[in-house]
Amino acid sequence: MSVTYAQGFSAAGVVAGVSSVAGKKDMAVVVNEGPLDACAGVFTSNRFCAAPVQWSRSVVADGHITAVVLNSGCANACTGTEGFEQSKASAEEVAKELGIQSQQVAVCSTGLIGELLPLDRVLSGAKEALRQRQSDEQSGIDASEAIMTTDTQPKTVQLDGKGYRVGGMVKGSGMIAPQLATMICVITTDAVVSAGALQAALNSAVDMSFNRIDVDGCMSTNDTVLLLASGASGVEPDPDEFNALVSQACAQLARKIIGDGEGSSHDIRIVVKGAEHEDAALACARSVAASNLLKCAIYGNDPNWGRVVSSLGVVPEDIAQYRPEDVDVVINGVKVCDGGKPGQDRSLVNMSAREVHIDIDLHIGKAETTVWTDDLTHDYVHINADYES
Amino acid sequence: MSVTYAQGFSAAGVVAGVSSVAGKKDMAVVVNEGPLDACAGVFTSNRFCAAPVQWSRSVVADGHITAVVLNSGCANACTGTEGFEQSKASAEEVAKELGIQSQQVAVCSTGLIGELLPLDRVLSGAKEALRQRQSDEQSGIDASEAIMTTDTQPKTVQLDGKGYRVGGMVKGSGMIAPQLATMICVITTDAVVSAGALQAALNSAVDMSFNRIDVDGCMSTNDTVLLLASGASGVEPDPDEFNALVSQACAQLARKIIGDGEGSSHDIRIVVKGAEHEDAALACARSVAASNLLKCAIYGNDPNWGRVVSSLGVVPEDIAQYRPEDVDVVINGVKVCDGGKPGQDRSLVNMSAREVHIDIDLHIGKAETTVWTDDLTHDYVHINADYES
């Protein structure tokens, strides 16, 4: 269902010839048919942010957009003013077709960095996608397929509030790091919500979802999360319920990114508890999640807690207080490290499930947080050594 | 020649049965036969530092040690007070044999984290190594072999000053990150140098060598660099020449670690120039060196400059000033990114050599620095997924 689960949205995904994979759907549109056109956005903090990010950040700033045009196969990143003109031209083409202003059109691109778009194909693909757009289930699925790159499956969400709906799609599989870990995500709702309330809901949701996952520690130039409200349900939601629903949508999509992390064979949930404050717990969890050595060990079904604590040990004391001799590490329910020393025998740990749970207790406070990552596999290396070819 | 190149040092490497690899040399001693016993040390900043690091940091603090006992096969890290007692017992055994105090004996261990030493074997191995120790070439080589773990070859250095010598050995192949990237290194000299001068020379040398390499971003619990002076040459060196020689020894050993990085097929030299100050250049170079995506691309012989700039883009502005639209990236002499945009065609880059040179110009100042890393390969994953088995 994806972005068309909420009323008041149409979408399409088409083959435009932008991707180098023949016959792959590579362009999508999502159109907010109204009555509202409220929106919110969160973008990459990478200083080499791509042309479409520069464009979209600017047009989303006033809290109103009507359409999003998206392509895979080319990121239009590090392409200078010419790249920016291409993103602008894409928005203008969509605006012309819809009879709106180009400032009402956001643009998202994903794929290779450092190459300009094949603009003719993008413009004709955008027109074709707009012509084909519908509000049915299949159109939403088509759009979610069109934004895939190394993703092995489309990633969507659909949730129900009291009298309104939230739908969404995301692409992302590699170049996934906190702040912001996604690549491209569009969430739609037919609730009646102001742009300000949307932005607040989105900021909070992103912080607890896309900012808590890490496939490979590499931050993209193109990360974009958009939240669009059509108001088509006519329902003004309870703010707390709405915020929770948006958070749930982002959390489910983030979890699906981890489940589809490039080449991954294990999804690794890292919980750090007993921290003085949440930032300390987060710094510890992220340091563990970033360890190539740990991620290789998990791939080898080895509950190597030495690589957990050696990663914890890199976090400076002024960031996270703890005493090494107090720290426990539990892997899939087995306390392999007890007070900084060997605990139960690591051979007791069952590593056969896809999910691996690493629970770390710092024993110095009450704060807790969760971060997800993937294991580091032969296939990750294969995918990323050969992505160009 | 290794540590026995300098006069006044004896060494040995023996099979003690500590390593799980049958017949592998796994224990070494290095003895300073005098007349001086000056020393300096630099140790890991990991908060989970191993028992031998705790012991050695303490005994090196006064600037005098006579012997170093080293083992591979077990890191004696995260082993609590029992582990510390084991390191102390090892030092005491060596001291008893040599008729000195245990505070004159440093201890180094490398291998699996989270397991206690097989102490009987370590103590008998230490005695055997002391019995066998000699000052000849082969004994130095034996010692450098005994400290290897995933290293594929012993790594040694020998340099000549005016009337004195510097020799050294290092082990390290994975779990190599800046601050401090080595694992275990012993450097010897027969020059007449005070402990204070040794420490100053070592600090400066380490900062420009072991702190500038990164195999996998993972900091060890056991990193130790020791510099011992016997004074046997009777020569008081020119301080500048001596400092330069120690720096050269560390640089050569660090370069050899990169050349033997786990599973690596390319050594990657990253130069960042045109920075405002050296710390800014270093932050940029380290961020690029830590990119799994770039390291996979280099393994695939792909001069993927998009992954260079996306890593640069993660460095905060308050750490390194630059304008993305000014940045150039040259790979093996080809300017693939020119002012933040595509430059020469990437197909012009010849990636056939083992060394790959990535030169980044920020065009905002005059500072420059160099960092080395390895590519990320199938073999790295293989080695680290199966290290336990």
Side-chain angles (χ1 to χ4, degrees):
Chain A
M1 292 295 291
S2 177
V3 288
T4 52
Y5 186 63
Q7 296 175 68
F9 290 92
S10 59
V14 301
V15 181
V18 180
S19 165
S20 60
V21 181
K24 183 194 173 302
K25 292 194 190 84
D26 51 11
M27 285 207 64
V29 291
V30 179
V31 178
N32 185 345
E33 308 283 356
L36 298 183
D37 65 354
C39 79
V42 178
F43 301 93
T44 184
S45 55
N46 197 302
R47 292 162 72 185
F48 281 87
C49 72
V53 170
Q54 295 171 34
W55 172 264
S56 296
R57 186 182 273 140
S58 149
V59 300
V60 163
D62 71 353
H64 298 280
I65 59 168
T66 300
V68 189
V69 56
L70 313 96
N71 76 274
S72 56
C74 176
N76 192 12
C78 303
T79 45
T81 51
E82 199 176 348
F84 186 79
E85 290 303 320
Q86 289 192 326
S87 292
K88 187 173 171 219
S90 309
E92 285 168 349
E93 186 74 8
V94 170
K96 193 175 71 182
E97 291 293 312
L98 293 174
I100 58 177
Q101 300 295 310
S102 61
Q103 279 73 19
Q104 293 169 265
V105 182
V107 180
C108 300
S109 299
T110 177
L112 256 183
I113 297 173
E115 300 206 346
L116 286 163
L117 294 170
L119 192 58
D120 289 351
R121 294 178 190 185
V122 167
L123 298 185
S124 58
K127 276 169 81 166
E128 181 58 26
L130 288 170
R131 261 197 296 275
Q132 291 190 19
R133 79 185 196 276
Q134 293 193 14
S135 297
D136 62 354
E137 179 173 343
Q138 187 59 45
S139 300
I141 293 172
D142 288 348
S144 64
E145 288 177 358
I147 59 174
M148 290 164 60
T149 54
T150 54
D151 309 67
T152 65
Q153 50 195 11
K155 290 178 260 295
T156 65
V157 68
Q158 36 275 329
L159 296 169
D160 292 287
K162 287 191 185 120
Y164 65 98
R165 291 171 162 185
V166 173
M169 64 180 185
V170 72
K171 70 80 53 180
S173 186
M175 208 177 249
I176 299 295
Q179 330 258 350
L180 177 66
T182 166
M183 286 302 280
I184 289 173
C185 175
V186 181
I187 299 172
T188 54
T189 181
D190 48 25
V192 178
V193 189
S194 71
L198 286 178
Q199 190 68 52
L202 189 62
N203 288 347
S204 162
V206 163
D207 186 46
M208 297 302 291
S209 57
F210 299 119
N211 281 349
R212 305 282 163 120
I213 62 174
D214 183 347
V215 170
D216 52 15
C218 294
M219 186 201 285
S220 158
T221 51
N222 289 57
D223 294 332
T224 300
V225 186
L226 298 174
L227 172 57
L228 281 57
S230 70
S233 70
V235 173
E236 281 190 51
D238 171 71
D240 289 343
E241 186 204 41
F242 181 73
N243 291 346
L245 218 58
V246 172
S247 287
Q248 205 181 325
C250 287
Q252 286 192 20
L253 291 172
R255 181 67 188 79
K256 288 183 182 185
I257 289 177
I258 289 295
D260 195 25
E262 283 176 347
S264 61
S265 68
H266 282 298
D267 302 342
I268 309 169
R269 189 192 71 188
I270 298 160
V271 174
V272 174
K273 63 179 182 176
E276 271 192 308
H277 47 77
E278 207 196 340
D279 285 352
L282 192 56
C284 289
R286 284 192 176 153
S287 182
V288 173
S291 167
N292 280 353
L293 284 172
L294 174 65
K295 289 148 71 94
C296 284
I298 300 297
Y299 171 48
N301 291 320
D302 168 17
N304 193 323
W305 63 269
R307 296 178 182 177
V308 175
V309 298
S310 62
S311 305
L312 280 181
V314 177
V315 180
E317 281 192 64
D318 59 340
I319 305 286
Q321 284 288 324
Y322 66 79
R323 301 193 320 155
E325 60 270 33
D326 291 341
V327 172
D328 297 334
V329 179
V330 175
I331 302 184
N332 284 350
V334 179
K335 193 188 272 192
V336 285
C337 174
D338 191 347
K341 298 191 302 296
Q344 291 179 271
D345 196 298
R346 67 174 88 191
S347 68
L348 298 172
V349 181
N350 182 343
M351 298 285 286
S352 59
R354 184 171 169 98
E355 262 192 44
V356 174
H357 294 174
I358 300 178
D359 296 291
I360 299 159
D361 195 334
L362 301 180
H363 285 297
I364 199 157
K366 305 248 181 235
E368 173 175 336
T369 200
T370 302
V371 160
W372 284 88
T373 188
D374 286 302
D375 54 351
L376 177 55
T377 70
H378 285 294
D379 281 352
Y380 177 86
V381 174
H382 177 70
I383 291 165
N384 288 297
D386 298 338
Y387 183 59
E388 278 282 299
S389 57
Chain B
M1 293 296 290
S2 177
V3 288
T4 51
Y5 187 63
Q7 297 174 68
F9 290 92
S10 59
V14 301
V15 181
V18 179
S19 166
S20 60
V21 181
K24 185 197 171 299
K25 291 194 191 82
D26 51 12
M27 285 208 62
V29 290
V30 180
V31 179
N32 184 346
E33 309 283 356
L36 299 183
D37 64 355
C39 79
V42 178
F43 302 92
T44 184
S45 54
N46 197 301
R47 292 162 72 184
F48 282 86
C49 73
V53 170
Q54 295 171 34
W55 172 264
S56 296
R57 185 181 275 142
S58 149
V59 301
V60 164
D62 72 353
H64 299 280
I65 60 170
T66 300
V68 189
V69 57
L70 312 97
N71 76 274
S72 56
C74 175
N76 192 11
C78 305
T79 45
T81 51
E82 199 176 348
F84 185 80
E85 290 303 320
Q86 288 194 326
S87 291
K88 188 174 170 218
S90 310
E92 285 167 349
E93 185 75 8
V94 170
K96 192 176 72 183
E97 292 293 312
L98 292 175
I100 57 176
Q101 300 296 309
S102 61
Q103 280 73 20
Q104 292 170 265
V105 182
V107 180
C108 300
S109 299
T110 176
L112 255 183
I113 297 173
E115 301 206 345
L116 286 162
L117 293 170
L119 191 59
D120 288 351
R121 294 179 189 183
V122 167
L123 298 185
S124 59
K127 277 169 81 166
E128 180 59 27
L130 287 170
R131 261 197 297 273
Q132 290 190 19
R133 77 184 196 276
Q134 294 193 17
S135 298
D136 62 354
E137 177 172 346
Q138 187 59 46
S139 301
I141 293 172
D142 289 348
S144 64
E145 287 176 358
I147 58 174
M148 291 166 59
T149 54
T150 53
D151 309 66
T152 65
Q153 51 194 12
K155 291 178 259 296
T156 64
V157 68
Q158 36 275 329
L159 297 169
D160 293 286
K162 287 193 186 118
Y164 66 98
R165 289 173 163 186
V166 173
M169 63 179 185
V170 73
K171 69 81 53 181
S173 185
M175 209 177 248
I176 298 295
Q179 329 255 349
L180 179 64
T182 166
M183 285 302 279
I184 290 174
C185 175
V186 180
I187 299 172
T188 54
T189 180
D190 49 24
V192 177
V193 189
S194 72
L198 285 179
Q199 190 68 52
L202 190 61
N203 288 346
S204 162
V206 163
D207 186 46
M208 297 303 290
S209 58
F210 299 120
N211 281 348
R212 305 282 163 121
I213 60 175
D214 183 346
V215 170
D216 52 16
C218 294
M219 185 200 286
S220 159
T221 52
N222 290 56
D223 294 331
T224 300
V225 186
L226 298 173
L227 172 56
L228 281 57
S230 70
S233 71
V235 173
E236 281 190 49
D238 171 72
D240 289 344
E241 187 204 41
F242 180 73
N243 292 345
L245 218 57
V246 172
S247 287
Q248 205 181 324
C250 287
Q252 285 191 20
L253 291 172
R255 181 68 187 80
K256 287 182 183 184
I257 289 177
I258 288 296
D260 195 24
E262 284 177 346
S264 61
S265 68
H266 282 298
D267 303 342
I268 309 170
R269 190 191 72 189
I270 299 160
V271 175
V272 174
K273 63 179 181 176
E276 271 191 309
H277 46 78
E278 207 196 339
D279 285 351
L282 192 55
C284 289
R286 284 191 175 152
S287 182
V288 173
S291 167
N292 280 352
L293 284 173
L294 175 64
K295 288 149 72 95
C296 284
I298 300 297
Y299 172 47
N301 291 321
D302 168 17
N304 193 323
W305 63 269
R307 297 178 180 177
V308 175
V309 298
S310 61
S311 305
L312 280 181
V314 176
V315 180
E317 280 192 65
D318 58 341
I319 304 285
Q321 284 289 325
Y322 66 80
R323 302 194 319 155
E325 61 270 32
D326 290 342
V327 172
D328 297 334
V329 179
V330 176
I331 302 183
N332 284 351
V334 180
K335 192 188 273 193
V336 284
C337 174
D338 191 346
K341 297 191 304 295
Q344 290 179 271
D345 195 300
R346 67 174 87 192
S347 69
L348 298 172
V349 181
N350 182 344
M351 299 284 287
S352 59
R354 183 170 170 99
E355 262 192 44
V356 174
H357 295 174
I358 300 178
D359 296 290
I360 299 158
D361 195 335
L362 301 180
H363 285 296
I364 199 156
K366 305 250 180 231
E368 174 175 337
T369 198
T370 301
V371 161
W372 284 88
T373 187
D374 286 303
D375 55 351
L376 176 56
T377 70
H378 285 293
D379 281 352
Y380 177 87
V381 174
H382 177 69
I383 291 165
N384 287 298
D386 298 338
Y387 183 58
E388 280 281 297
S389 57

